[in-house]
C-alpha cells in the first residue's frame, strides 16, 4: 500500500541528509505565493571523495493530485542550456514567462502528475561545478547516472519509483543516450525506466531537420514571413537546385520505399544550399523581432527574467532572476557563479562526437520503452517538424522502417480546446504535432503538453481527447 502524501513528504522533510537542500516555498524571492516544499542544490557526479564536478538540481514532490509512484526527470538542451528555464517557463509549479509582470501559479505544472527533478547538466551548464571534460553522449550519460546515484542516496524515499526521461531541443540527443545507458546498466540505478518524451528534438543532422524543410516552411507560412515575390522565387529556385524542393514527394512516403538519401554530398548543406540561414537573415530584415523559436512573434519583444525571449539573448533586467544573490541563497546555489540561461563555454570538449541518436540508440530505446513520445511544435523554425518526419521515416524500429500510414490521418485533440494538430502512433512510438506552438511546447501550449505527459505516465488512454 502506498504511503499517504503527508507521510511521504514528512519522510523527506525529516530526512537528515536532505535537510541542507530544503527550500521554503514561502521564501522564494519575488514569488508572492507558497510554492510548497522543494529541495535544491549541488550534488557530485560520483562518490569519489575528491570529486569536484557537481550538477545543480531542483526537486519537487508531487502536488495533491500527483502520483506517488513516479518521477519525471527534465532537461533542457543547448547543449549547455539550463533546465531552470524549463522549471520557470514551461512545466514547473510556478511560471514567469515572457512579458509577465510577476510569477504565477502554473496550473499545467507537471508536478500535478508526478514528482519532478530538474537538473542543470552536463557540467558547465548553469550553476553546475567543475571543468567540462566529456566528448560524447556516452560520457554525458555516465556522469548523469552517477549524479542520479548520489541523488538517490540523499533522497532514498524515491528509490524504486517509475522513471521518465523528458526534455526538449538538444535533449533529443541527450535523452535517448541516457535511456540507452540506463537500459544497458539496469542494476546501476534503483529506478524503473518506463519511457521518454522529447519535444522539438535534435535527432539527426541539421541538413535534415533545418535545411531540407526550410523553404517549404516559408511557403506554408508565407504571410507570416512577408517576403516579396522575387525573394520567394529565389528561395524556391534554390531549393530545386539543392534537391530540397521535391524531397518530400520523392522520399517521405508511407510506408517508405527504402532508406531516405541525403540531398547533397555530405551531412552538411552543400555550398550555396544553407537556405535556413538565408531565410533567417531575410526574416530579420522584415521583422527585427523574428523569433526562430516561435515565428509569430513581432514587436515589441517581451521582457524576460531569464534574458532570452527570442532569437538572441537580450538582458532587459539585471541581474537575471537566477543570478540574484537572494535567489541563489534561497535555492542553495553557488554565489560565485554568474548564471546565464545558456553556457558561455563548451560543455563538450571540442564538440559532441556522438552520431545523432536516430542512427544509433533511438530505435532500441523506443523498443525497450513502455511509452515513447516525440512532440513537435509546428511554429518552430529552429528545428522544423517536417524534418522530424524525415527522421522518423528513415528510422527502423520494431521490425519496420518508418510509419506505415500517413501522420495526417489522425487529429490531435486537446480537452476543451478541440483539434490542435496531428497525432500518430505505431509500434510503440507516439508522435504529436502541436499547432501554433513554438519550440518550447510546454511553454507555448501548456495544456497540450500536460495532456501528452499524462498519457506518457499512463494516466490517459490516449494523448488525444
Amino acid at each position: 500500500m502506498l504511503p499517504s502524501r503527508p507521510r511521504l513528504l514528512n519522510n523527506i522533510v525529516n530526512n537528515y541528509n536532505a535537510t541542507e537542500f530544503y527550500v521554503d516555498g514561502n521564501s522564494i524571492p519575488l514569488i508572492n505565493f507558497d510554492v510548497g516544499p522543494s529541495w535544491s542544490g549541488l550534488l557530485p557526479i560520483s562518490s569519489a571523495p575528491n570529486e569536484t564536478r557537481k550538477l545543480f538540481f531542483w526537486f519537487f514532490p508531487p502536488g495533491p493530485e500527483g502520483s506517488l509512484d513516479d518521477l519525471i526527470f527534465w532537461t533542457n538542451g543547448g547543449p549547455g542550456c539550463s533546465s531552470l528555464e524549463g522549471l520557470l517557463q514551461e512545466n514547473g509549479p510556478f511560471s514567469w514567462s515572457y512579458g509577465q509582470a510577476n510569477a504565477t501559479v502554473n496550473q499545467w505544472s507537471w508536478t500535478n502528475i508526478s514528482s519532478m527533478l530538474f537538473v542543470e547538466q552536463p557540467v558547465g551548464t548553469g550553476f553546475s561545478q567543475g571543468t567540462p571534460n566529456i566528448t560524447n553522449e556516452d560520457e554525458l550519460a555516465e556522469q548523469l547516472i552517477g549524479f542520479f546515484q548520489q541523488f538517490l542516496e540523499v533522497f532514498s524515499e524515491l528509490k524504486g519509483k517509475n522513471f521518465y526521461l523528458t526534455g526538449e531541443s538538444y535533449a533529443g540527443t541527450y535523452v535517448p543516450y541516457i535511456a540507452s545507458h540506463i537500459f544497458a546498466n539496469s542494476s546501476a540505478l534503483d529506478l524503473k525506466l518506463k519511457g521518454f518524451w522529447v519535444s522539438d528534438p535534435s535527432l539527426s543532422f541539421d541538413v535534415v531537420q533545418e535545411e531540407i524543410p526550410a523553404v517549404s516552411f516559408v511557403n506554408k507560412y508565407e504571410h507570416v514571413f512577408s517576403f516579396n515575390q522575387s525573394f520567394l522565387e529565389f528561395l524556391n529556385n534554390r531549393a530545386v537546385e539543392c534537391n530540397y524542393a521535391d524531397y518530400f514527394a520523392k522520399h517521405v512516403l508511407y510506408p517508405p520505399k527504402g532508406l531516405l538519401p541525403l540531398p547533397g554530398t555530405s551531412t552538411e548543406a552543400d555550398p550555396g544550399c544553407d537556405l535556413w540561414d538565408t531565410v533567417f537573415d531575410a526574416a530579420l530584415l522584415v521583422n527585427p523581432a523574428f523569433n526562430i523559436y516561435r515565428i509569430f512573434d513581432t514587436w515589441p519583444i517581451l521582457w524576460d527574467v531569464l534574458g532570452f525571449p527570442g532569437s538572441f539573448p537580450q538582458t532587459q533586467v539585471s541581474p537575471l532572476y537566477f543570478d540574484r544573490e537572494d535567489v541563489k541563497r534561497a535555492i542553495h546555489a553557488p554565489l560565485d557563479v554568474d548564471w546565464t540561461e545558456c553556457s558561455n563555454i563548451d560543455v563538450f570538449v571540442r564538440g559532441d562526437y556522438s552520431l545523432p541518436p536516430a542512427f544509433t540508440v533511438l530505435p532500441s530505446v523506443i523498443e525497450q520503452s513502455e511509452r515513447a513520445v516525440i512532440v513537435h511544435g509546428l511554429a518552430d523554425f529552429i528545428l522544423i517538424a517536417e524534418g522530424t518526419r524525415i527522421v522518423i521515416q528513415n528510422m527502423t524500429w520494431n521490425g519496420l522502417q518508418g510509419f506505415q500510414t500517413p501522420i495526417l490521418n489522425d487529429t490531435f485533440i486537446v480537452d476543451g480546446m478541440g483539434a490542435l494538430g496531428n497525432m500518430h502512433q505505431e509500434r510503440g512510438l507516439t508522435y504529436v504535432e502541436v499547432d501554433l506552438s513554438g519550440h518550447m511546447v510546454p511553454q507555448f501550449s501548456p495544456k497540450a503538453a500536460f495532456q501528452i505527459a499524462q498519457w506518457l505516465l499512463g494516466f490517459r488512454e490516449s494523448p488525444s481527447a
Side-chain angles (χ1 to χ4, degrees):
M1 184 175 182
L2 288 174
S4 67
R5 194 171 314 277
R7 180 181 169 191
L8 178 73
L9 291 180
N10 284 338
N11 285 346
I12 301 177
V13 169
N14 294 326
N15 178 344
Y16 176 79
N17 292 328
T19 302
E20 66 179 287
F21 301 105
Y22 179 72
V23 177
D24 183 350
N26 277 308
S27 301
I28 302 174
L30 304 186
I31 310 298
N32 59 7
F33 51 88
D34 185 2
V35 173
S38 62
W39 290 261
S40 64
L42 290 162
L43 281 171
I45 64 169
S46 79
S47 58
N50 60 344
E51 181 62 78
T52 59
R53 295 163 297 174
K54 299 179 180 180
L55 302 180
F56 184 82
F57 73 92
W58 200 339
F59 166 72
F60 292 86
E65 303 302 318
S67 167
L68 299 170
D69 266 346
D70 302 286
L71 173 63
I72 299 173
F73 161 81
W74 174 268
T75 180
N76 283 78
C81 291
S82 169
S83 300
L84 297 185
E85 175 204 344
L87 189 161
L88 193 64
Q89 298 185 330
E90 300 189 60
N91 48 21
F94 56 103
S95 179
W96 201 336
S97 196
Y98 310 157
Q100 286 186 227
N102 299 291
T104 54
V105 174
N106 182 7
Q107 68 179 114
W108 305 116
S109 170
W110 291 8
T111 56
N112 293 328
I113 307 172
S114 164
S115 298
M116 284 205 72
L117 174 62
F118 299 87
V119 181
E120 292 189 306
Q121 65 88 41
V123 170
T125 303
F127 289 122
S128 65
Q129 302 283 283
T131 301
N133 67 341
I134 59 173
T135 60
N136 59 53
E137 294 293 330
D138 292 322
E139 293 171 347
L140 177 144
E142 289 173 3
Q143 291 190 357
L144 187 59
I145 274 66
F147 164 85
F148 288 151
Q149 291 169 339
Q150 307 314 305
F151 177 81
L152 290 175
E153 288 307 306
V154 175
F155 298 92
S156 56
E157 298 83 359
L158 299 172
K159 289 183 177 181
K161 301 296 185 185
N162 299 326
F163 193 41
Y164 299 85
L165 299 171
T166 66
E168 71 190 10
S169 196
Y170 204 78
T173 299
Y174 294 159
V175 165
Y177 276 96
I178 298 165
S180 179
H181 192 89
I182 293 174
F183 282 133
N185 301 275
S186 57
S187 63
L189 195 62
D190 194 356
L191 293 168
K192 302 171 187 174
L193 181 57
K194 296 290 187 177
F196 72 90
W197 146 313
V198 288
S199 51
D200 296 66
S202 177
L203 300 172
S204 184
F205 303 115
D206 286 347
V207 70
V208 172
Q209 295 195 262
E210 292 184 336
E211 303 295 352
I212 295 173
V215 175
S216 174
F217 186 90
V218 169
N219 287 320
K220 177 181 179 180
Y221 293 107
E222 177 181 354
H223 298 296
V224 175
F225 283 90
S226 297
F227 293 150
N228 61 47
Q229 290 303 307
S230 62
F231 185 67
L232 279 175
E233 184 177 350
F234 163 79
L235 287 176
N236 284 310
N237 289 339
R238 185 55 61 86
V240 172
E241 296 168 2
C242 296
N243 297 316
Y244 299 159
D246 59 354
Y247 190 92
F248 273 81
K250 283 185 176 180
H251 305 298
V252 187
L253 307 174
Y254 300 86
K257 302 302 181 184
L259 291 178
L260 280 62
L262 291 170
T265 58
S266 74
T267 59
E268 299 179 356
D270 284 349
C273 291
D274 184 359
L275 298 189
W276 189 93
D277 277 328
T278 302
V279 170
F280 179 46
D281 292 342
L284 286 175
L285 293 176
V286 176
N287 172 19
F290 179 73
N291 185 355
I292 53 177
Y293 300 102
R294 181 176 58 180
I295 62 167
F296 303 124
D297 289 9
T298 56
W299 286 116
I301 295 175
L302 301 177
W303 86 296
D304 177 18
V305 291
L306 301 185
F308 209 138
S311 296
F312 309 102
Q314 298 190 40
T315 302
Q316 305 101 328
V317 58
S318 183
L320 302 176
Y321 182 73
F322 287 114
D323 205 35
R324 291 173 56 110
E325 182 176 340
D326 55 351
V327 173
K328 292 177 181 178
R329 291 187 183 278
I331 63 175
H332 317 298
L335 300 180
D336 60 346
V337 172
D338 293 328
W339 186 93
T340 57
E341 184 171 331
C342 293
S343 177
N344 295 317
I345 62 174
D346 292 331
V347 295
F348 289 90
V349 179
R350 296 180 298 278
D352 185 355
Y353 282 79
S354 296
L355 283 171
F359 300 106
T360 54
V361 297
L362 181 57
S364 66
V365 166
I366 294 170
E367 293 165 354
Q368 294 177 83
S369 296
E370 292 185 9
R371 298 199 172 184
V373 179
I374 298 175
V375 184
H376 212 112
L378 291 176
D380 180 9
F381 183 61
I382 191 168
L383 288 165
I384 300 172
E386 285 189 343
T388 299
R389 294 189 191 185
I390 297 172
V391 174
I392 292 172
Q393 290 310 98
N394 198 37
M395 184 171 62
T396 296
W397 75 97
N398 280 324
L400 291 171
Q401 180 184 332
F403 287 144
Q404 304 299 292
T405 57
I407 291 168
L408 293 176
N409 284 0
D410 304 293
T411 301
F412 173 55
I413 300 172
V414 178
D415 288 330
M417 298 176 66
L420 201 67
N422 312 303
M423 186 190 81
H424 199 77
Q425 295 178 297
E426 285 189 30
R427 306 189 317 280
L429 175 61
T430 294
Y431 176 62
V432 183
E433 294 176 337
V434 184
D435 281 335
L436 306 180
S437 176
H439 189 69
M440 293 77 85
V441 177
Q443 177 177 359
F444 297 134
S445 194
K447 188 173 183 180
F450 183 83
Q451 185 171 297
I452 300 167
Q454 285 180 308
W455 181 82
L456 173 67
L457 270 67
F459 302 146
R460 300 178 63 96
E461 293 185 0
S462 170
S464 182

